[in-house]
């Protein structure tokens, strides 16, 4: 009742527990006077207090906005028989307040809200769609395994890329799998990550090799070939425009990053999978290792391809040797360049057999043995050479032909030119730079040294500063900007060959009261991609070259041509025929009894055209009106006419300089 006082309580001498550090409730002392019911009620009350305390603490930690629970009425213990024997507190007598509380509407328990659970896996999608998530997990693992297997087994040449290449056991994969199974957890993940990155880098090298084999028929040189990448982007821009160049560069960068990242993640994922299924992975690795050793021992093959593969180990070994050779090549080349049989020859004894002659060294881009020997184009090119021989003979000219072996194939014309002129084997960019910064004399600079010739260069493929021209001993250089050409480019080719030769006639050869000329002439119309190709027109109609606008529009689109290898071969043949026609007609039209023409190819075309041929031979021909000129090389054994004999002499291109200077030097042929 409201007027009743609460029962009297004994003072509580028990210290209050520290709820922040210890939420344990003091045990209730045994009741010696009350019954089991009293003890149960006391325990229930104590437990209720503990739950309320914990709820308040939890609410405070989670920051949930909840009203604090009402304080529980402290139980009043009964009078004790002895102050030394505390008794369990007696539940209070029901009062009006408690009765009102009992009859009132029950309140909601003050349970703090649970903190929001973080979504497990893929932002909760994995829990919501477990079956689909499992499919994705399995699919990702399969893709990771396929990527790693591809990286281990993919060859570095497109012509070896077939299904059989991937039906092999990679030794490197078996060894790495065994290593990962043996390592502890942390070391395993680090090793897997490093192995994945290295595998990605090796895959990138293979991709680059594919490009180099497709153009240069050799792998990428990790020491000497970096400068060629800039030339590759220039070729793409000139062939497919600025947009094509940008797209190609972006594509290469994206591919590089993607390969490195994906191979690293794939190896890490497979390593984790092997550890989760260690017994199965260990047995599989052991079986594959045993199978690899057995296949190596017995020489097991499938369609001619060995089942046991160690492609990557061989590739790494070859690259290590290549790097060593590249680093030592500079010293080897310096020793070779120091030897020059004509360095001390007096100028008045040099090239005496050609005094008073106009000597023209003319390179026909990509004019290789394939153009003459390949059955698909041999008949047409042979007809051009036979007709040219007949026409020149009618004009009073005779000719002799043979073969030279070029240091390059597919591309790298400047390396072939410098090999031919210097008498040294210039097989890479490092040698080229060493040569052009040295005092080694070239065939052209020896002509300049005599003082008996004006030396000029007709180089329509040069579109920027070319300081090397001074090294080659050229008094004057006519690049694409100084030939007077106002017509269109033909893909990479800035100036059609017919116009280049006509410009040489107008600017140098046809001038009056001139000195004898020694000219280096580059005919570039047969340069890759061979579309569109110019064709011969009347020499009197050339003008400033604007007439070629119509001819270019009539030509073919290089992007369409390169969709079909046979179309590429056909257009290559057409380009070679155009260059030969231009040169022969120029000699017929402007040649005289002083003319001595040496023309040759610089290298074979790309493998798309050579169709698997490994030959590096190029034709070379000497044409002269004066029979005494050819008499001096009679002992060379070259074939008559513009076409070399199939079994004709085959010299290294680096040997021509010394042979030529010996044949036409003082006392030779007398």
């Amino acid at each position: 009742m409201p007027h009743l006082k609460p029962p009297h309580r004994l003072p509580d001498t028990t210290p209050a527990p520290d709820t922040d550090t210890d939420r344990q409730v003091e045990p209730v002392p045994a009741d010696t006077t009350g019954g089991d019911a009293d003890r149960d009620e006391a325990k229930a009350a104590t437990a209720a207090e503990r739950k309320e305390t914990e709820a308040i603490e939890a609410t405070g930690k989670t920051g949930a906005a909840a009203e604090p629970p009402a304080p529980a009425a402290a139980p009043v213990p009964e009078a004790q028989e002895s102050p030394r024997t505390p008794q369990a507190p007696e539940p209070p007598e029901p009062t009006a307040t408690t009765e009102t509380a009992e009859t009132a509407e029950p309140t909601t328990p003050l349970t703090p809200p649970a903190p929001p659970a973080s979504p497990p896996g893929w932002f909760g999608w994995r829990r919501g769609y477990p079956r689909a998530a499992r499919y994705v997990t399995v699919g990702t693992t399969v893709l990771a395994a396929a990527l790693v297997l591809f990286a281990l087994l993919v060859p570095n040449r497109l012509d070896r890329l077939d299904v059989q290449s991937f039906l092999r056991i990679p030794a490197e994969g078996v060894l790495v799998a065994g290593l990962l199974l043996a390592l502890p957890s942390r070391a395993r993940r680090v090793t897997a990550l490093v192995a994945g990155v290295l595998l990605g880098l090796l895959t990138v090298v293979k991709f680059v090799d594919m490009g180099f084999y497709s153009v240069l028929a050799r792998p990428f040189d990790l020491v000497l070939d970096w400068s060629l990448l800039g030339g590759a982007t220039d070729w793409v821009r000139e062939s497919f425009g600025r947009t094509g160049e940008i797209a190609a560069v972006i594509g290469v960068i994206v591919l590089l990053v993607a390969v490195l990242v994906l191979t690293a993640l794939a190896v890490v994922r497979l390593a984790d999978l092997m550890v989760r299924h260690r017994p199965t992975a260990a047995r599989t690795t052991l079986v594959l290792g045993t199978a690899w050793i057995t296949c190596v021992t017995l020489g097991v093959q499938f369609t001619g391809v060995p089942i046991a593969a160690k492609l990557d180990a061989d590739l790494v070994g070859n690259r290590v040797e290549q790097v060593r050779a590249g680093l030592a090549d500079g010293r080897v080349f310096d020793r070779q360049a120091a030897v020059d049989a004509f360095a001390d020859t007096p100028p008045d004894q040099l090239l005496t057999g050609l005094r008073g002659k106009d000597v023209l060294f003319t390179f026909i881009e990509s004019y290789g043995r394939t153009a003459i020997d390949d059955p698909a184009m041999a008949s047409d090119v042979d007809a051009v050479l036979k007709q040219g021989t007949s026409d020149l003979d009618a004009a009073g000219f005779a000719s002799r032909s043979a073969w030279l072996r070029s240091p390059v194939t597919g591309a790298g014309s400047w390396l072939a030119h410098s090999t031919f002129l210097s008498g040294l084997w210039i097989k890479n960019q490092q040698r080229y730079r060493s040569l052009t910064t040295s005092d080694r004399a070239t065939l052209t600079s020896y002509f300049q040294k005599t003082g008996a010739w004006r030396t000029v260069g007709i180089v329509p493929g040069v579109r920027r500063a070319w300081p090397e021209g001074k090294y080659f001993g050229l008094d004057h250089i006519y690049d694409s900007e100084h030939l007077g050409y106002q017509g269109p480019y033909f893909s990479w080719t800035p100036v059609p060959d017919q116009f280049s030769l006509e410009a040489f006639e107008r600017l140098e050869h046809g001038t009056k009261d001139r000195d004898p000329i020694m000219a280096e002439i580059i005919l570039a119309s047969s340069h890759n991609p061979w579309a569109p190709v110019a064709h011969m027109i009347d020499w009197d109609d050339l003008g400033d070259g604007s007439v070629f606008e119509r001819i270019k529009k009539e030509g073919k689109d290089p992007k369409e041509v390169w969709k079909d290898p046979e179309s590429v071969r056909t257009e290559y043949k057409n380009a070679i025929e155009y260059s030969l026609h231009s040169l022969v007609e120029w000699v017929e039209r402007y040649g005289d009894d002083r003319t001595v023409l040496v023309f040759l190819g610089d290298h074979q075309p790309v493998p798309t055209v050579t169709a698997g041929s490994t030959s590096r031979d190029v034709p070379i021909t000497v044409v002269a009106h004066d029979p005494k000129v050819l008499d001096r090389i009679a002992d060379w054994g070259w074939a008559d006419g513009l076409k070399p004999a199939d079994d004709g002499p085959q010299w290294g291109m680096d040997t021509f300089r010394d042979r030529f200077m010996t044949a036409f030097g003082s006392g030779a042929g007398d």
Side-chain angles (χ1 to χ4, degrees):
M1 304 298 290
H3 62 277
L4 295 179
K5 295 181 180 180
H8 176 70
R9 293 190 303 176
L10 293 175
D12 187 3
T13 59
T14 303
D18 185 0
T19 58
D20 292 333
T21 59
D22 184 6
R23 292 197 299 268
Q24 298 294 330
V25 180
E26 289 292 331
V28 180
D31 185 4
T32 57
T33 58
D36 293 337
D38 294 336
R39 288 195 297 271
D40 292 340
E41 290 177 0
K43 292 179 180 179
T46 304
E49 290 180 355
R50 183 167 64 250
K51 290 181 178 180
E52 290 175 356
T53 302
E54 291 175 351
I56 294 172
E57 292 178 351
T59 303
K61 292 179 181 179
T62 59
E67 186 177 342
V76 180
E78 293 181 352
Q80 305 296 321
E81 293 181 357
S82 172
R84 298 179 181 177
T85 307
Q87 296 181 353
E90 189 77 8
E93 292 291 333
T95 62
T97 304
T98 58
E99 289 176 359
T100 304
E102 288 176 0
T103 57
E105 183 177 352
T107 59
T108 304
L110 299 177
T111 303
S118 58
W122 309 338
F123 305 100
W125 185 83
R126 188 171 184 176
R127 171 180 289 180
Y129 304 92
R131 178 175 297 181
R134 178 165 181 78
Y135 289 156
V136 172
T137 300
V138 173
T140 304
T141 303
V142 171
L143 290 176
L147 176 60
V148 172
L149 189 64
F150 174 85
L152 288 169
L153 293 176
V154 63
N156 63 339
R157 297 179 59 167
L158 288 174
D159 57 349
R160 296 178 181 174
L161 189 62
D162 50 30
V163 176
Q164 290 83 353
S165 300
F166 298 97
L167 301 178
R168 310 171 72 184
I169 303 174
E172 303 83 3
V174 176
L175 292 174
V176 172
L179 176 63
L180 293 176
L181 287 171
L183 290 175
S185 176
R186 186 169 185 176
R188 180 182 67 253
R189 293 187 67 84
V190 173
T191 302
L193 184 62
V194 173
V197 172
L198 293 177
L199 182 60
L201 288 173
L202 192 60
T203 305
V204 170
V205 171
K206 291 180 182 179
F207 287 160
V208 176
D209 278 356
M210 289 180 187
F212 268 69
Y213 272 113
S214 298
V215 177
L216 302 176
R218 64 172 178 82
F220 177 71
D221 192 312
L222 293 172
V223 176
L224 306 173
D225 281 343
W226 293 102
S227 61
L228 299 182
L229 299 181
T233 59
D234 290 342
W235 178 85
V236 173
R237 181 182 66 253
E238 291 154 0
S239 299
F240 304 102
R242 181 67 175 173
T243 302
E245 178 193 17
I246 295 174
V249 171
I250 292 176
V252 168
I253 294 174
V254 170
L255 179 62
L256 172 63
V257 175
V259 169
L260 295 179
V261 173
L262 292 178
T263 51
L265 294 177
V267 174
V268 171
R269 185 179 187 87
L270 294 180
D272 293 341
L273 179 66
M274 287 191 300
V275 171
R276 290 198 301 270
H277 304 279
R278 188 183 294 273
T280 302
R283 288 193 298 269
T284 303
T285 302
L286 180 61
V287 169
L288 290 175
T290 304
W292 189 92
I293 295 173
T294 303
C295 291
V296 168
T297 304
L298 301 179
V300 180
Q301 296 185 354
F302 177 71
T303 64
V305 178
I307 297 297
K310 55 184 182 69
L311 175 66
D312 297 312
D314 291 342
L315 187 63
V316 171
N318 292 338
R319 281 302 191 277
V320 171
E321 291 301 320
Q322 183 189 69
V323 169
R324 290 177 179 174
L327 295 176
D329 185 66
R331 296 189 296 272
V332 174
F333 180 74
D334 289 341
R335 290 196 297 269
Q336 295 173 346
V339 179
D340 187 348
F342 301 93
D344 298 328
T345 302
D348 60 352
Q349 298 180 22
L350 293 171
L351 301 165
T352 55
L354 293 171
R355 297 298 173 101
K357 305 295 185 184
D358 294 323
V359 184
L360 317 178
F361 296 104
T362 304
F363 294 91
I364 299 179
E365 172 67 36
S366 299
Y367 179 35
R369 185 162 191 157
T370 292
I372 294 176
D373 286 354
D374 190 291
M377 58 187 81
S379 59
D380 291 341
V381 174
D382 184 62
V384 173
L385 294 175
K386 285 184 177 180
Q387 185 62 47
T389 300
S390 177
D391 292 343
L392 290 177
D393 182 68
F397 290 89
S399 54
R400 303 286 186 275
S401 299
W403 305 102
L404 296 181
R405 186 176 66 258
S406 175
V408 294
T409 184
S413 301
W414 63 97
L415 303 181
H417 300 170
S418 55
T419 296
F420 178 82
L421 297 174
S422 71
L424 295 172
W425 196 250
I426 311 301
K427 61 181 180 179
N428 55 55
Q429 191 68 11
Q430 176 176 281
R431 287 192 167 204
Y432 179 77
R433 289 175 176 172
S434 298
L435 173 69
T436 54
T437 55
S438 71
D439 57 359
R440 168 83 179 192
T442 64
L443 184 56
T444 46
S445 65
Y446 273 127
F447 273 91
Q448 185 187 52
K449 184 178 180 180
T450 65
W453 283 273
R454 171 173 167 79
T455 58
V456 299
I458 306 296
V459 287
V462 174
R463 277 161 279 186
R464 62 187 68 176
W466 189 46
E468 295 92 334
K470 293 182 179 179
Y471 165 75
F472 288 105
L474 301 177
D475 296 327
H476 192 82
I477 297 173
Y478 297 93
D479 58 22
S480 61
E481 301 297 325
H482 296 88
L483 292 174
Y485 181 68
Q486 301 299 318
Y489 278 24
F490 284 74
S491 292
W492 185 89
T493 307
V495 184
D497 291 347
Q498 186 182 7
F499 190 94
S500 296
L501 291 169
E502 177 65 23
F504 169 61
E505 176 66 23
R506 170 171 39 86
L507 296 170
E508 290 286 346
H509 187 267
T511 59
K512 297 180 179 180
D513 301 326
R514 61 174 176 79
D515 292 331
I517 295 174
M518 191 290 306
E520 179 186 357
I521 302 173
I522 311 298
L523 300 182
S525 288
S526 51
H527 193 287
N528 185 335
W530 308 300
V533 178
H535 59 74
M536 298 297 297
I537 61 176
D538 192 294
W539 291 81
D540 295 329
D541 295 336
L542 288 173
D544 64 358
S546 300
V547 65
F548 285 101
E549 290 283 0
R550 174 182 53 82
I551 297 175
K552 180 180 180 180
K553 292 178 181 178
E554 295 172 352
K556 296 182 179 180
D557 185 343
K559 295 187 289 295
E560 295 299 322
V561 168
W562 278 82
K563 291 179 180 179
D564 179 18
E566 289 306 315
S567 296
V568 175
R569 289 159 56 82
T570 298
E571 295 308 308
Y572 164 77
K573 174 184 69 68
N574 294 338
I576 293 297
E577 291 179 10
Y578 170 71
S579 296
L580 291 172
H581 278 304
S582 298
L583 189 57
V584 170
E585 289 192 17
W586 184 89
V587 175
E588 287 185 89
R589 184 179 179 88
Y590 298 114
D592 54 32
D593 58 357
R594 297 190 301 173
T595 302
V596 177
L597 169 66
V598 180
F599 74 90
L600 67 153
D602 48 13
H603 54 71
Q604 283 266 65
V606 296
T608 304
V609 177
T610 58
S613 173
T614 58
S615 173
R616 294 195 174 191
D617 290 349
V618 297
I620 181 170
T621 300
V622 177
V623 179
H625 194 282
D626 186 351
K628 294 181 180 179
V629 173
L630 297 183
D631 288 344
R632 285 180 172 258
I633 64 172
D635 60 345
W636 287 4
W638 289 20
D640 291 339
L642 302 183
K643 179 183 177 181
D646 293 341
D647 57 351
Q650 297 171 304
W651 300 348
M653 192 176 281
D654 58 329
T655 66
F656 181 83
R657 188 202 75 157
D658 288 4
R659 289 177 183 266
F660 185 86
M661 294 188 65
T662 299
F664 293 101
S666 178
D670 295 339

